[in-house]
Amino acid sequence: MPDTEHGSFGSIAKVATANTDPENGDEDLQFKPLTREEAQALRARHSVVSPWVVLGVQALAGLLVSAGVWLVWQQGNAVWSALYGAAAAVIPGAVMARGMSRQQASNSPGGGLTGFMFWEFAKVLTAVAMLVAAVKVVPSLHWPVLLVTMIVSLKVNWLALLWRRPSTQQQQETKQHGR
């Protein structure tokens, strides 16, 4: 149930402050509910990377590896293997991103966790199915090329964080501190 006083997540979002007693080393944590304005300011300071941006970066990495494969081997079969490897990373991720974005309205923590587990399972099942089907789909499959491209595509997630646009407040703070 939404909390009208603090917004939909105001009752969940808390700020912890630690009071440490130096004599006996006890820590007493106190939680203060955030107001609607504090929660909005917190969200503005910490921008979220869209899963679609991450998938785009993964696809771009797969295309770059495929181009590199073409430059090195100049074999169509190796390039198709690389492209299929990129697809085996991006398509399952897109299945999960689509499912999770449709479910985002769920206010139930249990429902959110169950949904996450379902879509993660769907993602893994899709990836496994694509790898099993690779033998039939890609003529003269090159497994090392496919797997290397898939691994590279999966491991570039952190690059999406570099392209994350800082929030307006972060830009203002950077200007004020002269960084």
Side-chain angles (χ1 to χ4, degrees):
M1 267 179 122
D3 182 5
T4 56
E5 181 182 336
H6 298 292
S8 59
F9 296 105
S11 61
I12 297 172
K14 308 280 184 187
V15 175
T17 58
N19 295 326
T20 306
D21 183 5
E23 292 180 15
N24 61 12
D26 290 340
E27 274 192 21
D28 180 25
L29 293 178
Q30 297 176 349
F31 292 94
K32 175 191 152 224
L34 296 177
T35 65
R36 177 183 293 263
E37 293 78 24
E38 290 171 333
Q40 288 172 344
L42 182 65
R43 286 187 196 113
R45 280 194 310 271
H46 301 286
S47 61
V48 176
V49 177
S50 166
W52 302 108
V53 171
V54 173
L55 290 169
V57 171
Q58 288 179 331
L60 179 63
L63 290 173
L64 291 174
V65 171
S66 300
V69 166
W70 174 253
L71 290 174
V72 171
W73 284 293
Q74 295 185 351
Q75 293 180 356
N77 294 338
V79 173
W80 282 114
S81 296
L83 288 171
Y84 194 85
V90 173
I91 291 172
V95 167
M96 183 174 183
R98 175 70 175 135
M100 291 299 295
S101 65
R102 290 180 68 194
Q103 174 194 330
Q104 208 168 20
S106 173
N107 287 334
S108 164
L113 179 61
T114 302
F116 173 79
M117 290 173 59
F118 172 80
W119 288 110
E120 183 65 28
F121 178 73
K123 174 182 159 183
V124 170
L125 190 64
T126 304
V128 169
M130 288 185 73
L131 290 174
V132 168
V135 176
K136 301 276 186 194
V137 174
V138 181
S140 300
L141 179 66
H142 293 259
W143 277 107
V145 172
L146 181 146
L147 293 173
V148 165
T149 307
M150 186 177 180
I151 290 168
V152 168
S153 295
L154 289 171
K155 293 298 178 183
V156 297
N157 293 348
W158 60 271
L159 285 178
L161 295 174
L162 295 177
W163 288 327
R164 179 174 67 171
R165 289 177 28 177
S167 66
T168 307
Q169 186 173 4
Q170 286 174 331
Q171 291 172 351
Q172 290 172 352
E173 289 174 1
T174 302
K175 287 179 185 177
Q176 288 175 355
H177 296 297
R179 292 179 195 168

